[in-house]
Amino acid sequence: MRLLHLSDFHFKSSEKDVAAQNLLINKLLDSISDDQKIDYFLFTGDLVFSGTNPKDFEYAYDSFLKRIGEKFELPKANVLLCPGNHDVDRATVSQPLKKYIREFRNSDQLTKFVEDAKDDVYGLSLKPTQNWHA
């Protein structure tokens, strides 16, 4: 099994950043020969510079993620993404919820919180990654 693992690209959709980012993507894709088989692509954090700008996510998908998938003919199930701290819209973090979660003393409390998945609380905890999921 062959993995391609990358992180920390910090994409920005601003005009001044696009040219440099496209050059980086082109060099990356050119550095991997067409006959090399990649089974899984993992991107583990900080896809974009700021999780507050949905256009940065759109740009990262169109100019990078989509191209990786197409070049290596990867099914979507073989592309694994994990948001990083820059991928979060911190302005939408609920301070009361943050305090509530920080009071957990063991993993069982966190597991119960996720398994209960109450929309009013669990859904609120996911709001800072809403642009990531768009």
Side-chain angles (χ1 to χ4, degrees):
M1 174 178 10
R2 295 188 65 133
L3 305 174
L4 174 60
H5 176 214
L6 300 170
S7 70
D8 294 280
F9 271 41
H10 298 267
F11 280 99
K12 291 182 185 177
S13 58
S14 66
E15 190 174 322
K16 72 175 193 152
D17 294 299
V18 167
Q21 292 166 161
N22 282 335
L23 181 62
L24 174 68
I25 295 162
N26 291 338
K27 292 285 186 187
L28 170 70
L29 293 174
D30 288 346
S31 73
I32 304 170
S33 70
D34 290 337
D35 61 343
Q36 285 183 299
K37 174 88 172 108
I38 302 293
D39 299 304
Y40 288 90
F41 172 54
L42 296 91
F43 194 91
T44 54
D46 296 342
L47 179 64
V48 298
F49 181 76
S50 173
T52 61
N53 189 351
K55 288 185 180 187
D56 288 351
F57 288 100
E58 292 170 19
Y59 170 71
Y61 173 77
D62 289 337
S63 68
F64 175 59
L65 298 174
K66 185 176 175 184
R67 289 178 63 192
I68 292 278
E70 288 171 353
K71 176 172 175 118
F72 299 109
E73 300 175 356
L74 291 170
K76 286 186 178 183
N78 291 24
V79 177
L80 307 167
L81 306 171
C82 176
N85 64 317
H86 282 257
D87 300 317
V88 174
D89 183 355
R90 290 183 182 97
T92 64
V93 172
S94 164
Q95 294 307 311
L97 181 59
K98 184 176 170 181
K99 182 179 184 298
Y100 173 72
I101 290 172
R102 284 191 171 162
E103 291 176 357
F104 292 166
R105 296 294 168 236
N106 58 55
S107 61
D108 291 337
Q109 288 176 310
L110 181 59
T111 299
K112 181 172 176 14
F113 173 74
V114 171
E115 286 176 349
D116 286 349
K118 294 186 168 93
D119 286 337
D120 58 333
V121 177
Y122 181 66
L124 189 58
S125 73
L126 297 177
K127 189 170 176 130
T129 59
Q130 67 188 0
N131 292 331
W132 175 266
H133 297 287

PDB file of all heavy atoms in Angstrom, residues 32-65:
ATOM      1  N   ILE A  32       5.962  13.472  -8.875  1.00  0.00           N
ATOM      2  CA  ILE A  32       5.473  12.095  -8.724  1.00  0.00           C
ATOM      3  C   ILE A  32       5.148  11.586 -10.118  1.00  0.00           C
ATOM      4  O   ILE A  32       4.260  12.112 -10.783  1.00  0.00           O
ATOM      5  CB  ILE A  32       4.231  12.041  -7.813  1.00  0.00           C
ATOM      6  CG1 ILE A  32       4.528  12.668  -6.456  1.00  0.00           C
ATOM      7  CG2 ILE A  32       3.760  10.598  -7.648  1.00  0.00           C
ATOM      8  CD1 ILE A  32       3.310  12.878  -5.581  1.00  0.00           C
ATOM      9  N   SER A  33       5.863  10.580 -10.546  1.00  0.00           N
ATOM     10  CA  SER A  33       5.669  10.096 -11.917  1.00  0.00           C
ATOM     11  C   SER A  33       4.281   9.495 -12.088  1.00  0.00           C
ATOM     12  O   SER A  33       3.677   8.983 -11.140  1.00  0.00           O
ATOM     13  CB  SER A  33       6.751   9.082 -12.288  1.00  0.00           C
ATOM     14  OG  SER A  33       6.567   7.890 -11.568  1.00  0.00           O
ATOM     15  N   ASP A  34       3.813   9.556 -13.328  1.00  0.00           N
ATOM     16  CA  ASP A  34       2.469   9.079 -13.641  1.00  0.00           C
ATOM     17  C   ASP A  34       2.303   7.584 -13.385  1.00  0.00           C
ATOM     18  O   ASP A  34       1.194   7.114 -13.149  1.00  0.00           O
ATOM     19  CB  ASP A  34       2.116   9.388 -15.096  1.00  0.00           C
ATOM     20  CG  ASP A  34       1.906  10.876 -15.318  1.00  0.00           C
ATOM     21  OD1 ASP A  34       1.598  11.591 -14.347  1.00  0.00           O
ATOM     22  OD2 ASP A  34       2.064  11.322 -16.474  1.00  0.00           O
ATOM     23  N   ASP A  35       3.382   6.829 -13.427  1.00  0.00           N
ATOM     24  CA  ASP A  35       3.257   5.386 -13.236  1.00  0.00           C
ATOM     25  C   ASP A  35       3.342   4.969 -11.762  1.00  0.00           C
ATOM     26  O   ASP A  35       3.201   3.790 -11.453  1.00  0.00           O
ATOM     27  CB  ASP A  35       4.286   4.631 -14.071  1.00  0.00           C
ATOM     28  CG  ASP A  35       5.714   4.975 -13.695  1.00  0.00           C
ATOM     29  OD1 ASP A  35       5.936   6.002 -13.032  1.00  0.00           O
ATOM     30  OD2 ASP A  35       6.614   4.203 -14.078  1.00  0.00           O
ATOM     31  N   GLN A  36       3.572   5.921 -10.869  1.00  0.00           N
ATOM     32  CA  GLN A  36       3.572   5.585  -9.447  1.00  0.00           C
ATOM     33  C   GLN A  36       2.134   5.483  -8.959  1.00  0.00           C
ATOM     34  O   GLN A  36       1.323   6.379  -9.195  1.00  0.00           O
ATOM     35  CB  GLN A  36       4.317   6.637  -8.624  1.00  0.00           C
ATOM     36  CG  GLN A  36       5.812   6.546  -8.777  1.00  0.00           C
ATOM     37  CD  GLN A  36       6.518   7.552  -7.892  1.00  0.00           C
ATOM     38  OE1 GLN A  36       6.331   8.743  -8.044  1.00  0.00           O
ATOM     39  NE2 GLN A  36       7.318   7.042  -6.975  1.00  0.00           N
ATOM     40  N   LYS A  37       1.836   4.408  -8.300  1.00  0.00           N
ATOM     41  CA  LYS A  37       0.486   4.169  -7.792  1.00  0.00           C
ATOM     42  C   LYS A  37       0.387   4.692  -6.366  1.00  0.00           C
ATOM     43  O   LYS A  37       1.232   4.395  -5.534  1.00  0.00           O
ATOM     44  CB  LYS A  37       0.202   2.656  -7.827  1.00  0.00           C
ATOM     45  CG  LYS A  37      -1.100   2.250  -7.191  1.00  0.00           C
ATOM     46  CD  LYS A  37      -2.229   2.305  -8.187  1.00  0.00           C
ATOM     47  CE  LYS A  37      -3.487   1.712  -7.604  1.00  0.00           C
ATOM     48  NZ  LYS A  37      -4.514   2.648  -7.290  1.00  0.00           N
ATOM     49  N   ILE A  38      -0.617   5.497  -6.110  1.00  0.00           N
ATOM     50  CA  ILE A  38      -0.918   5.967  -4.760  1.00  0.00           C
ATOM     51  C   ILE A  38      -2.261   5.352  -4.383  1.00  0.00           C
ATOM     52  O   ILE A  38      -3.241   5.483  -5.115  1.00  0.00           O
ATOM     53  CB  ILE A  38      -1.010   7.512  -4.694  1.00  0.00           C
ATOM     54  CG1 ILE A  38       0.291   8.170  -5.159  1.00  0.00           C
ATOM     55  CG2 ILE A  38      -1.401   7.976  -3.299  1.00  0.00           C
ATOM     56  CD1 ILE A  38       1.478   7.937  -4.274  1.00  0.00           C
ATOM     57  N   ASP A  39      -2.297   4.667  -3.257  1.00  0.00           N
ATOM     58  CA  ASP A  39      -3.538   4.020  -2.821  1.00  0.00           C
ATOM     59  C   ASP A  39      -4.400   4.937  -1.952  1.00  0.00           C
ATOM     60  O   ASP A  39      -5.621   4.885  -2.018  1.00  0.00           O
ATOM     61  CB  ASP A  39      -3.215   2.737  -2.048  1.00  0.00           C
ATOM     62  CG  ASP A  39      -2.470   1.737  -2.900  1.00  0.00           C
ATOM     63  OD1 ASP A  39      -2.983   1.378  -3.971  1.00  0.00           O
ATOM     64  OD2 ASP A  39      -1.350   1.337  -2.497  1.00  0.00           O
ATOM     65  N   TYR A  40      -3.736   5.729  -1.126  1.00  0.00           N
ATOM     66  CA  TYR A  40      -4.443   6.644  -0.221  1.00  0.00           C
ATOM     67  C   TYR A  40      -3.731   7.981  -0.181  1.00  0.00           C
ATOM     68  O   TYR A  40      -2.499   8.046  -0.215  1.00  0.00           O
ATOM     69  CB  TYR A  40      -4.483   6.087   1.211  1.00  0.00           C
ATOM     70  CG  TYR A  40      -5.410   4.918   1.380  1.00  0.00           C
ATOM     71  CD1 TYR A  40      -4.951   3.627   1.199  1.00  0.00           C
ATOM     72  CD2 TYR A  40      -6.739   5.115   1.710  1.00  0.00           C
ATOM     73  CE1 TYR A  40      -5.794   2.549   1.343  1.00  0.00           C
ATOM     74  CE2 TYR A  40      -7.593   4.036   1.856  1.00  0.00           C
ATOM     75  CZ  TYR A  40      -7.121   2.765   1.672  1.00  0.00           C
ATOM     76  OH  TYR A  40      -7.956   1.692   1.809  1.00  0.00           O
ATOM     77  N   PHE A  41      -4.520   9.027  -0.087  1.00  0.00           N
ATOM     78  CA  PHE A  41      -3.987  10.369   0.112  1.00  0.00           C
ATOM     79  C   PHE A  41      -4.481  10.876   1.456  1.00  0.00           C
ATOM     80  O   PHE A  41      -5.683  10.894   1.724  1.00  0.00           O
ATOM     81  CB  PHE A  41      -4.436  11.303  -1.019  1.00  0.00           C
ATOM     82  CG  PHE A  41      -4.081  12.738  -0.787  1.00  0.00           C
ATOM     83  CD1 PHE A  41      -2.769  13.110  -0.517  1.00  0.00           C
ATOM     84  CD2 PHE A  41      -5.040  13.720  -0.839  1.00  0.00           C
ATOM     85  CE1 PHE A  41      -2.435  14.441  -0.303  1.00  0.00           C
ATOM     86  CE2 PHE A  41      -4.718  15.049  -0.632  1.00  0.00           C
ATOM     87  CZ  PHE A  41      -3.418  15.409  -0.362  1.00  0.00           C
ATOM     88  N   LEU A  42      -3.557  11.252   2.309  1.00  0.00           N
ATOM     89  CA  LEU A  42      -3.886  11.785   3.629  1.00  0.00           C
ATOM     90  C   LEU A  42      -3.421  13.233   3.714  1.00  0.00           C
ATOM     91  O   LEU A  42      -2.257  13.527   3.407  1.00  0.00           O
ATOM     92  CB  LEU A  42      -3.185  10.991   4.736  1.00  0.00           C
ATOM     93  CG  LEU A  42      -3.586   9.543   4.885  1.00  0.00           C
ATOM     94  CD1 LEU A  42      -2.689   8.668   4.033  1.00  0.00           C
ATOM     95  CD2 LEU A  42      -3.490   9.133   6.318  1.00  0.00           C
ATOM     96  N   PHE A  43      -4.307  14.103   4.102  1.00  0.00           N
ATOM     97  CA  PHE A  43      -3.930  15.493   4.362  1.00  0.00           C
ATOM     98  C   PHE A  43      -4.307  15.782   5.805  1.00  0.00           C
ATOM     99  O   PHE A  43      -5.479  15.781   6.164  1.00  0.00           O
ATOM    100  CB  PHE A  43      -4.625  16.472   3.413  1.00  0.00           C
ATOM    101  CG  PHE A  43      -3.983  17.828   3.473  1.00  0.00           C
ATOM    102  CD1 PHE A  43      -2.957  18.145   2.609  1.00  0.00           C
ATOM    103  CD2 PHE A  43      -4.360  18.754   4.432  1.00  0.00           C
ATOM    104  CE1 PHE A  43      -2.317  19.378   2.686  1.00  0.00           C
ATOM    105  CE2 PHE A  43      -3.729  19.974   4.525  1.00  0.00           C
ATOM    106  CZ  PHE A  43      -2.701  20.290   3.645  1.00  0.00           C
ATOM    107  N   THR A  44      -3.301  16.034   6.622  1.00  0.00           N
ATOM    108  CA  THR A  44      -3.540  16.098   8.066  1.00  0.00           C
ATOM    109  C   THR A  44      -3.321  17.497   8.633  1.00  0.00           C
ATOM    110  O   THR A  44      -2.422  17.730   9.433  1.00  0.00           O
ATOM    111  CB  THR A  44      -2.649  15.080   8.803  1.00  0.00           C
ATOM    112  OG1 THR A  44      -1.290  15.290   8.422  1.00  0.00           O
ATOM    113  CG2 THR A  44      -3.063  13.651   8.479  1.00  0.00           C
ATOM    114  N   GLY A  45      -4.160  18.401   8.235  1.00  0.00           N
ATOM    115  CA  GLY A  45      -4.257  19.667   8.923  1.00  0.00           C
ATOM    116  C   GLY A  45      -3.683  20.874   8.218  1.00  0.00           C
ATOM    117  O   GLY A  45      -2.693  20.808   7.508  1.00  0.00           O
ATOM    118  N   ASP A  46      -4.385  21.973   8.448  1.00  0.00           N
ATOM    119  CA  ASP A  46      -4.028  23.288   7.936  1.00  0.00           C
ATOM    120  C   ASP A  46      -4.020  23.330   6.409  1.00  0.00           C
ATOM    121  O   ASP A  46      -3.068  23.765   5.775  1.00  0.00           O
ATOM    122  CB  ASP A  46      -2.703  23.776   8.522  1.00  0.00           C
ATOM    123  CG  ASP A  46      -2.793  23.969  10.031  1.00  0.00           C
ATOM    124  OD1 ASP A  46      -3.927  24.069  10.554  1.00  0.00           O
ATOM    125  OD2 ASP A  46      -1.747  24.023  10.686  1.00  0.00           O
ATOM    126  N   LEU A  47      -5.131  22.897   5.858  1.00  0.00           N
ATOM    127  CA  LEU A  47      -5.341  22.986   4.419  1.00  0.00           C
ATOM    128  C   LEU A  47      -5.379  24.458   4.004  1.00  0.00           C
ATOM    129  O   LEU A  47      -4.818  24.839   2.984  1.00  0.00           O
ATOM    130  CB  LEU A  47      -6.652  22.289   4.034  1.00  0.00           C
ATOM    131  CG  LEU A  47      -7.040  22.300   2.571  1.00  0.00           C
ATOM    132  CD1 LEU A  47      -6.018  21.535   1.736  1.00  0.00           C
ATOM    133  CD2 LEU A  47      -8.430  21.704   2.380  1.00  0.00           C
ATOM    134  N   VAL A  48      -6.056  25.277   4.807  1.00  0.00           N
ATOM    135  CA  VAL A  48      -6.186  26.702   4.501  1.00  0.00           C
ATOM    136  C   VAL A  48      -5.516  27.545   5.580  1.00  0.00           C
ATOM    137  O   VAL A  48      -5.236  27.061   6.683  1.00  0.00           O
ATOM    138  CB  VAL A  48      -7.670  27.119   4.352  1.00  0.00           C
ATOM    139  CG1 VAL A  48      -8.323  26.368   3.204  1.00  0.00           C
ATOM    140  CG2 VAL A  48      -8.441  26.940   5.635  1.00  0.00           C
ATOM    141  N   PHE A  49      -5.298  28.791   5.245  1.00  0.00           N
ATOM    142  CA  PHE A  49      -4.666  29.698   6.198  1.00  0.00           C
ATOM    143  C   PHE A  49      -5.631  30.102   7.305  1.00  0.00           C
ATOM    144  O   PHE A  49      -5.250  30.233   8.462  1.00  0.00           O
ATOM    145  CB  PHE A  49      -4.145  30.946   5.478  1.00  0.00           C
ATOM    146  CG  PHE A  49      -3.468  31.911   6.392  1.00  0.00           C
ATOM    147  CD1 PHE A  49      -2.186  31.658   6.848  1.00  0.00           C
ATOM    148  CD2 PHE A  49      -4.114  33.056   6.819  1.00  0.00           C
ATOM    149  CE1 PHE A  49      -1.552  32.533   7.718  1.00  0.00           C
ATOM    150  CE2 PHE A  49      -3.497  33.936   7.683  1.00  0.00           C
ATOM    151  CZ  PHE A  49      -2.209  33.673   8.130  1.00  0.00           C
ATOM    152  N   SER A  50      -6.908  30.298   6.919  1.00  0.00           N
ATOM    153  CA  SER A  50      -7.903  30.715   7.910  1.00  0.00           C
ATOM    154  C   SER A  50      -9.241  30.054   7.617  1.00  0.00           C
ATOM    155  O   SER A  50      -9.755  30.176   6.502  1.00  0.00           O
ATOM    156  CB  SER A  50      -8.067  32.232   7.881  1.00  0.00           C
ATOM    157  OG  SER A  50      -9.130  32.623   8.713  1.00  0.00           O
ATOM    158  N   GLY A  51      -9.783  29.394   8.619  1.00  0.00           N
ATOM    159  CA  GLY A  51     -11.061  28.711   8.468  1.00  0.00           C
ATOM    160  C   GLY A  51     -12.247  29.644   8.326  1.00  0.00           C
ATOM    161  O   GLY A  51     -13.378  29.195   8.176  1.00  0.00           O
ATOM    162  N   THR A  52     -12.018  30.949   8.350  1.00  0.00           N
ATOM    163  CA  THR A  52     -13.124  31.906   8.249  1.00  0.00           C
ATOM    164  C   THR A  52     -13.525  32.193   6.810  1.00  0.00           C
ATOM    165  O   THR A  52     -14.562  32.787   6.575  1.00  0.00           O
ATOM    166  CB  THR A  52     -12.756  33.248   8.920  1.00  0.00           C
ATOM    167  OG1 THR A  52     -11.631  33.806   8.252  1.00  0.00           O
ATOM    168  CG2 THR A  52     -12.445  33.057  10.387  1.00  0.00           C
ATOM    169  N   ASN A  53     -12.713  31.778   5.841  1.00  0.00           N
ATOM    170  CA  ASN A  53     -12.964  32.126   4.447  1.00  0.00           C
ATOM    171  C   ASN A  53     -13.333  30.890   3.620  1.00  0.00           C
ATOM    172  O   ASN A  53     -12.451  30.124   3.214  1.00  0.00           O
ATOM    173  CB  ASN A  53     -11.729  32.811   3.847  1.00  0.00           C
ATOM    174  CG  ASN A  53     -12.000  33.389   2.477  1.00  0.00           C
ATOM    175  OD1 ASN A  53     -13.050  33.164   1.882  1.00  0.00           O
ATOM    176  ND2 ASN A  53     -11.042  34.126   1.958  1.00  0.00           N
ATOM    177  N   PRO A  54     -14.629  30.706   3.331  1.00  0.00           N
ATOM    178  CA  PRO A  54     -15.044  29.536   2.533  1.00  0.00           C
ATOM    179  C   PRO A  54     -14.387  29.490   1.155  1.00  0.00           C
ATOM    180  O   PRO A  54     -14.151  28.409   0.614  1.00  0.00           O
ATOM    181  CB  PRO A  54     -16.561  29.702   2.396  1.00  0.00           C
ATOM    182  CG  PRO A  54     -16.963  30.685   3.419  1.00  0.00           C
ATOM    183  CD  PRO A  54     -15.769  31.523   3.731  1.00  0.00           C
ATOM    184  N   LYS A  55     -14.031  30.632   0.590  1.00  0.00           N
ATOM    185  CA  LYS A  55     -13.396  30.645  -0.733  1.00  0.00           C
ATOM    186  C   LYS A  55     -12.022  29.977  -0.701  1.00  0.00           C
ATOM    187  O   LYS A  55     -11.598  29.398  -1.693  1.00  0.00           O
ATOM    188  CB  LYS A  55     -13.285  32.074  -1.255  1.00  0.00           C
ATOM    189  CG  LYS A  55     -14.615  32.646  -1.671  1.00  0.00           C
ATOM    190  CD  LYS A  55     -14.468  34.005  -2.288  1.00  0.00           C
ATOM    191  CE  LYS A  55     -15.867  34.496  -2.679  1.00  0.00           C
ATOM    192  NZ  LYS A  55     -15.837  35.723  -3.435  1.00  0.00           N
ATOM    193  N   ASP A  56     -11.331  30.060   0.432  1.00  0.00           N
ATOM    194  CA  ASP A  56     -10.040  29.382   0.537  1.00  0.00           C
ATOM    195  C   ASP A  56     -10.219  27.870   0.434  1.00  0.00           C
ATOM    196  O   ASP A  56      -9.411  27.190  -0.196  1.00  0.00           O
ATOM    197  CB  ASP A  56      -9.346  29.733   1.859  1.00  0.00           C
ATOM    198  CG  ASP A  56      -8.830  31.160   1.891  1.00  0.00           C
ATOM    199  OD1 ASP A  56      -8.851  31.843   0.851  1.00  0.00           O
ATOM    200  OD2 ASP A  56      -8.410  31.596   2.988  1.00  0.00           O
ATOM    201  N   PHE A  57     -11.283  27.342   1.043  1.00  0.00           N
ATOM    202  CA  PHE A  57     -11.558  25.908   0.958  1.00  0.00           C
ATOM    203  C   PHE A  57     -11.914  25.510  -0.476  1.00  0.00           C
ATOM    204  O   PHE A  57     -11.465  24.473  -0.967  1.00  0.00           O
ATOM    205  CB  PHE A  57     -12.686  25.509   1.916  1.00  0.00           C
ATOM    206  CG  PHE A  57     -12.290  25.528   3.358  1.00  0.00           C
ATOM    207  CD1 PHE A  57     -12.623  26.600   4.169  1.00  0.00           C
ATOM    208  CD2 PHE A  57     -11.578  24.474   3.912  1.00  0.00           C
ATOM    209  CE1 PHE A  57     -12.254  26.616   5.503  1.00  0.00           C
ATOM    210  CE2 PHE A  57     -11.208  24.481   5.247  1.00  0.00           C
ATOM    211  CZ  PHE A  57     -11.546  25.560   6.047  1.00  0.00           C
ATOM    212  N   GLU A  58     -12.725  26.326  -1.135  1.00  0.00           N
ATOM    213  CA  GLU A  58     -13.097  26.048  -2.524  1.00  0.00           C
ATOM    214  C   GLU A  58     -11.858  26.038  -3.411  1.00  0.00           C
ATOM    215  O   GLU A  58     -11.685  25.155  -4.258  1.00  0.00           O
ATOM    216  CB  GLU A  58     -14.087  27.097  -3.035  1.00  0.00           C
ATOM    217  CG  GLU A  58     -15.444  27.026  -2.379  1.00  0.00           C
ATOM    218  CD  GLU A  58     -16.323  28.229  -2.721  1.00  0.00           C
ATOM    219  OE1 GLU A  58     -16.041  28.926  -3.732  1.00  0.00           O
ATOM    220  OE2 GLU A  58     -17.283  28.475  -1.972  1.00  0.00           O
ATOM    221  N   TYR A  59     -11.004  27.029  -3.220  1.00  0.00           N
ATOM    222  CA  TYR A  59      -9.770  27.102  -4.008  1.00  0.00           C
ATOM    223  C   TYR A  59      -8.892  25.880  -3.737  1.00  0.00           C
ATOM    224  O   TYR A  59      -8.355  25.278  -4.672  1.00  0.00           O
ATOM    225  CB  TYR A  59      -9.016  28.396  -3.697  1.00  0.00           C
ATOM    226  CG  TYR A  59      -7.637  28.399  -4.295  1.00  0.00           C
ATOM    227  CD1 TYR A  59      -7.461  28.513  -5.673  1.00  0.00           C
ATOM    228  CD2 TYR A  59      -6.519  28.248  -3.499  1.00  0.00           C
ATOM    229  CE1 TYR A  59      -6.195  28.476  -6.235  1.00  0.00           C
ATOM    230  CE2 TYR A  59      -5.254  28.216  -4.045  1.00  0.00           C
ATOM    231  CZ  TYR A  59      -5.093  28.332  -5.414  1.00  0.00           C
ATOM    232  OH  TYR A  59      -3.842  28.286  -5.963  1.00  0.00           O
ATOM    233  N   ALA A  60      -8.716  25.512  -2.477  1.00  0.00           N
ATOM    234  CA  ALA A  60      -7.883  24.356  -2.122  1.00  0.00           C
ATOM    235  C   ALA A  60      -8.441  23.084  -2.750  1.00  0.00           C
ATOM    236  O   ALA A  60      -7.676  22.243  -3.244  1.00  0.00           O
ATOM    237  CB  ALA A  60      -7.797  24.210  -0.604  1.00  0.00           C
ATOM    238  N   TYR A  61      -9.755  22.951  -2.762  1.00  0.00           N
ATOM    239  CA  TYR A  61     -10.355  21.760  -3.378  1.00  0.00           C
ATOM    240  C   TYR A  61     -10.099  21.748  -4.886  1.00  0.00           C
ATOM    241  O   TYR A  61      -9.591  20.764  -5.431  1.00  0.00           O
ATOM    242  CB  TYR A  61     -11.860  21.681  -3.090  1.00  0.00           C
ATOM    243  CG  TYR A  61     -12.503  20.550  -3.852  1.00  0.00           C
ATOM    244  CD1 TYR A  61     -12.350  19.240  -3.412  1.00  0.00           C
ATOM    245  CD2 TYR A  61     -13.211  20.779  -5.018  1.00  0.00           C
ATOM    246  CE1 TYR A  61     -12.890  18.177  -4.128  1.00  0.00           C
ATOM    247  CE2 TYR A  61     -13.754  19.727  -5.742  1.00  0.00           C
ATOM    248  CZ  TYR A  61     -13.594  18.430  -5.296  1.00  0.00           C
ATOM    249  OH  TYR A  61     -14.116  17.395  -6.018  1.00  0.00           O
ATOM    250  N   ASP A  62     -10.464  22.843  -5.545  1.00  0.00           N
ATOM    251  CA  ASP A  62     -10.371  22.884  -7.009  1.00  0.00           C
ATOM    252  C   ASP A  62      -8.937  22.794  -7.517  1.00  0.00           C
ATOM    253  O   ASP A  62      -8.659  22.115  -8.499  1.00  0.00           O
ATOM    254  CB  ASP A  62     -11.017  24.164  -7.551  1.00  0.00           C
ATOM    255  CG  ASP A  62     -12.526  24.156  -7.414  1.00  0.00           C
ATOM    256  OD1 ASP A  62     -13.128  23.066  -7.326  1.00  0.00           O
ATOM    257  OD2 ASP A  62     -13.116  25.256  -7.373  1.00  0.00           O
ATOM    258  N   SER A  63      -8.031  23.494  -6.863  1.00  0.00           N
ATOM    259  CA  SER A  63      -6.671  23.578  -7.388  1.00  0.00           C
ATOM    260  C   SER A  63      -5.751  22.483  -6.868  1.00  0.00           C
ATOM    261  O   SER A  63      -4.684  22.255  -7.456  1.00  0.00           O
ATOM    262  CB  SER A  63      -6.061  24.938  -7.055  1.00  0.00           C
ATOM    263  OG  SER A  63      -5.862  25.050  -5.661  1.00  0.00           O
ATOM    264  N   PHE A  64      -6.148  21.803  -5.807  1.00  0.00           N
ATOM    265  CA  PHE A  64      -5.247  20.849  -5.184  1.00  0.00           C
ATOM    266  C   PHE A  64      -5.875  19.479  -4.967  1.00  0.00           C
ATOM    267  O   PHE A  64      -5.482  18.496  -5.593  1.00  0.00           O
ATOM    268  CB  PHE A  64      -4.747  21.441  -3.863  1.00  0.00           C
ATOM    269  CG  PHE A  64      -3.893  20.533  -3.044  1.00  0.00           C
ATOM    270  CD1 PHE A  64      -2.723  20.022  -3.558  1.00  0.00           C
ATOM    271  CD2 PHE A  64      -4.261  20.184  -1.760  1.00  0.00           C
ATOM    272  CE1 PHE A  64      -1.915  19.173  -2.799  1.00  0.00           C
ATOM    273  CE2 PHE A  64      -3.474  19.351  -0.994  1.00  0.00           C
ATOM    274  CZ  PHE A  64      -2.300  18.841  -1.516  1.00  0.00           C
ATOM    275  N   LEU A  65      -6.862  19.398  -4.100  1.00  0.00           N
ATOM    276  CA  LEU A  65      -7.431  18.097  -3.733  1.00  0.00           C
ATOM    277  C   LEU A  65      -8.011  17.373  -4.939  1.00  0.00           C
ATOM    278  O   LEU A  65      -7.772  16.177  -5.143  1.00  0.00           O
ATOM    279  CB  LEU A  65      -8.492  18.264  -2.645  1.00  0.00           C
ATOM    280  CG  LEU A  65      -7.998  18.843  -1.320  1.00  0.00           C
ATOM    281  CD1 LEU A  65      -9.169  19.086  -0.378  1.00  0.00           C
ATOM    282  CD2 LEU A  65      -6.956  17.946  -0.680  1.00  0.00           C
TER     283      LEU A  65
END
